[in-house]
């Protein structure tokens, strides 16, 4: 029940039309008491003549079973039901093939030579270790007899034998050390000036990139269902932090310090002036020609929820759970804002099965390294 203001007209005696915000209603009756019907159903109405005020009582049954409904509290926020979240689908591995399959045909003979030299070197090192131990025992025993007074005089033949054993062990050890030195396959990288200049530039850009605050090896990925997952991201990844540094690989005996990418789920990658080395162990490695490698770079917008590197540029913001239009999904409690950062992504692949991807927090340094690599690959291919 309520008091309301109405504007009424009487086109015929005993019939009244009433205009109100809810529509047009008709009523019949005499004096202040009338019975009418309208958009809200039949009702009885009493009015005070001359004031425009009336009192209305509905005659229709309540749809809610007679319980009066209370108006919503406009001050309280609308409560949305918490949605059911499905488990995320599995990620696809980003990983190279085995080292036996990676070597490109043009470097197969060079790899065989390295492997043969490595086996010979290991055999010599093992024998050298044995004779060093023999030398230590023989020299110590001979020295004790020589510094003593009784035994070297009573057992002259035995003392002479100890001397000969010490001399033999020292000579054998010296011979094996020389063989070990000669068995190292010295890799002389005699390269044209154009390739050398391009490689030095690559090393400089790599050194700058290695000082990035964060470097990740991307080891898994999948495409996202943006509607079902309520995210602005188009791709979900798994990543692990790794290191970058100039260094040497034990397989190649060379004076060159070369760019070295650590690998979280496979062999490390070394960029030499004329080839790329994929290294798992001294017995498991691969050599790849620059002409067979594709190095792809792109600036990547990444929704960063773990860290905020100071050398990365913030290029936008989003929400942990978003609608298609980018607004926050209010069905999720404690929905929060996330920075969108610009990273550099370097993907390295080959027809033989190389498949590696790295994410660099300093995107500009990664871009410069990729350009330097392209210059080196072009110079190697042209033989400058």
């Amino acid at each position: 029940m309520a008091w309301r203001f109405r504007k009424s007209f009487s086109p015929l005696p005993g019939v009244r039309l009433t205009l109100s915000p809810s529509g047009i209603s008709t009523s019949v009756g005499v004096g202040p008491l009338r019975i009418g019907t309208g958009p809200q159903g039949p009702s009885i109405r009493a009015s005070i003549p001359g004031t425009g005020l009336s009192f209305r009582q509905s005659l229709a049954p309540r749809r809610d079973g007679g319980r009066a409904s209370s108006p919503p509290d406009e001050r309280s926020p609308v409560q949305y039901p918490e949605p059911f979240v499905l488990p995320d689908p599995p990620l696809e591995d980003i990983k190279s093939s085995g080292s036996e399959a990676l070597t490109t045909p043009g470097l197969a003979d060079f790899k065989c030579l390295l492997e043969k030299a490595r086996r010979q070197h290991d055999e010599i090192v093992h024998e050298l270790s044995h004779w060093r131990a023999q030398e230590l025992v023989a020299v110590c025993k001979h020295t004790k007899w020589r510094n003593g007074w009784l035994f070297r005089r009573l057992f002259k033949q035995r003392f002479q034998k100890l001397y000969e054993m010490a001399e033999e062990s020292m000579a054998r050890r010296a011979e094996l050390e020389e063989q070990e030195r000669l068995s190292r396959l010295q890799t002389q990288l005699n390269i044209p000036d154009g390739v050398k200049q391009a490689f030095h530039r690559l090393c400089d850009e790599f050194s700058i990139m290695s000082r990035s605050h964060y470097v990740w090896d991307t080891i898994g990925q999948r495409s996202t269902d943006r509607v079902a997952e309520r995210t602005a991201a188009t791709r979900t990844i798994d990543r692990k932090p790794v290191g970058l540094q100039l260094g040497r690989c034990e397989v190649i005996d060379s004076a060159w310090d070369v760019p070295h990418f650590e690998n979280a789920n496979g062999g490390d990658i070394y960029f030499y002036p004329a080839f790329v080395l994929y290294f798992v162990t001294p017995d498991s490695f691969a050599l790849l020609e620059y002409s067979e490698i594709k190095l792809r770079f792109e600036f990547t917008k990444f929704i960063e929820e773990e860290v905020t590197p100071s050398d990365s540029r913030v290029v936008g913001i989003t929400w942990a759970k978003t609608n298609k239009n980018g607004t926050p999904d209010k069905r999720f409690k404690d929905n929060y804002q996330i920075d969108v950062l610009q990273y550099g992504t370097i993907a390295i692949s080959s027809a033989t099965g190389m498949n590696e991807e790295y994410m660099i927090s300093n995107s500009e340094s990664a871009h410069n390294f990729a350009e330097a690599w392209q210059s080196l690959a072009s110079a190697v291919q042209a033989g400058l």
Side-chain angles (χ1 to χ4, degrees):
M1 293 180 291
W3 291 91
R4 293 192 175 96
F5 178 79
R6 296 287 187 271
K7 185 65 176 176
S8 300
F9 303 90
S10 182
L12 298 173
V15 178
R16 179 173 297 174
L17 296 179
T18 303
L19 303 178
S20 69
S22 60
I24 302 176
S25 61
T26 59
S27 63
V28 295
V30 179
L33 186 63
R34 305 183 70 83
I35 297 176
T37 183
Q40 299 179 354
S43 62
I44 186 172
R45 186 185 307 274
S47 61
I48 302 177
T51 64
L53 297 176
S54 64
F55 178 80
R56 177 181 179 277
Q57 173 65 55
S58 177
L59 299 179
R62 293 181 181 271
R63 294 184 178 181
D64 57 359
R67 296 187 302 271
S69 60
S70 58
D73 185 359
E74 295 181 355
R75 295 171 298 176
S76 62
V78 178
Q79 299 295 322
Y80 296 92
E82 191 74 14
F84 177 73
V85 180
L86 295 174
D88 292 335
L91 300 180
E92 174 188 353
D93 288 338
I94 300 178
K95 186 176 181 179
S96 297
S97 302
S99 58
E100 287 297 323
L102 285 180
T103 297
T104 53
L107 293 173
D109 292 340
F110 181 40
K111 180 189 176 185
C112 290
L113 184 61
L114 289 176
E115 290 174 332
K116 182 179 179 180
R118 182 73 187 180
R119 287 193 297 269
Q120 293 176 346
H121 181 267
D122 290 345
E123 292 173 359
I124 294 173
V125 168
H126 179 73
E127 189 175 0
L128 176 61
S129 177
H130 168 74
W131 279 101
R132 280 173 175 169
Q134 290 289 100
E135 177 190 12
L136 180 62
V137 173
V139 170
C140 287
K141 185 174 289 187
H142 175 263
T143 302
K144 287 181 180 180
W145 280 52
R146 186 187 60 190
N147 294 337
W149 181 85
L150 181 61
F151 282 0
R152 66 186 177 88
R153 286 175 171 79
L154 292 178
F155 307 100
K156 292 183 179 181
Q157 292 184 351
R158 176 61 177 166
F159 179 67
Q160 180 63 27
K161 185 66 174 177
L162 290 176
Y163 171 77
E164 293 173 357
M165 291 174 62
E167 287 291 315
E168 180 185 2
S169 61
M170 286 190 293
R172 185 59 176 159
R173 183 264 307 161
E175 179 186 356
L176 287 171
E177 285 182 344
E178 179 65 13
Q179 290 183 20
E180 188 274 334
R181 184 184 67 80
L182 295 175
S183 68
R184 300 174 192 168
L185 186 61
Q186 295 286 335
T187 306
Q188 300 294 333
L189 300 176
N190 298 319
I191 57 178
D193 289 339
V195 175
K196 185 180 297 185
Q197 293 175 5
F199 182 74
H200 288 327
R201 178 195 169 192
L202 179 77
C203 291
D204 291 343
E205 298 297 348
F206 178 84
S207 296
I208 296 173
M209 184 176 67
S210 68
R211 293 197 292 268
S212 299
H213 291 185
Y214 287 92
V215 178
W216 297 276
D217 181 6
T218 305
I219 61 176
Q221 68 90 28
R222 66 172 175 83
S223 298
T224 60
D225 186 337
R226 299 181 62 183
V227 176
E229 298 180 49
R230 315 305 296 175
T231 179
T234 58
R235 185 172 180 245
T236 297
I237 67 168
D238 183 16
R239 61 184 183 177
K240 291 185 179 180
V242 293
L244 305 177
Q245 61 274 328
L246 291 172
R248 303 179 187 182
C249 180
E250 57 186 289
V251 171
I252 304 293
D253 189 3
S254 170
W256 292 78
D257 286 329
V258 302
H260 170 206
F261 284 75
E262 292 183 358
N263 194 348
N265 63 344
D268 288 0
I269 302 173
Y270 295 82
F271 287 86
Y272 281 87
F275 56 87
V276 173
L277 172 64
Y278 179 85
F279 176 79
V280 181
T281 68
D283 297 320
S284 300
F285 64 92
L287 302 175
L288 297 95
E289 301 168 81
Y290 276 97
S291 60
E292 300 294 330
I293 292 178
K294 293 182 180 180
L295 189 147
R296 176 177 54 84
F297 170 83
E298 64 179 9
F299 290 105
T300 302
K301 293 181 180 180
F302 190 81
I303 300 174
E304 182 58 79
E305 298 189 66
E306 298 178 5
V307 297
T308 304
S310 59
D311 59 349
S312 300
R313 188 160 62 95
V314 179
V315 294
I317 58 171
T318 185
W319 297 85
K321 298 295 181 181
T322 64
N323 297 314
K324 290 181 63 176
N325 60 0
T327 59
D329 192 332
K330 296 182 179 180
R331 297 177 301 165
F332 290 85
K333 297 179 180 178
D334 302 324
N335 199 0
Y336 53 92
Q337 275 189 338
I338 308 174
D339 286 338
V340 179
L341 304 182
Q342 178 175 279
Y343 291 153
T345 298
I346 294 175
I348 308 171
S349 61
S350 74
T352 57
M354 175 79 81
N355 182 26
E356 304 294 339
E357 183 177 308
Y358 292 88
M359 182 178 288
I360 317 295
S361 62
N362 188 333
S363 59
E364 290 296 333
S365 68
H367 178 250
N368 293 338
F369 171 80
E371 289 189 335
W373 182 90
Q374 186 59 55
S375 298
L376 174 61
S378 300
V380 170
Q381 188 172 2
L384 299 178

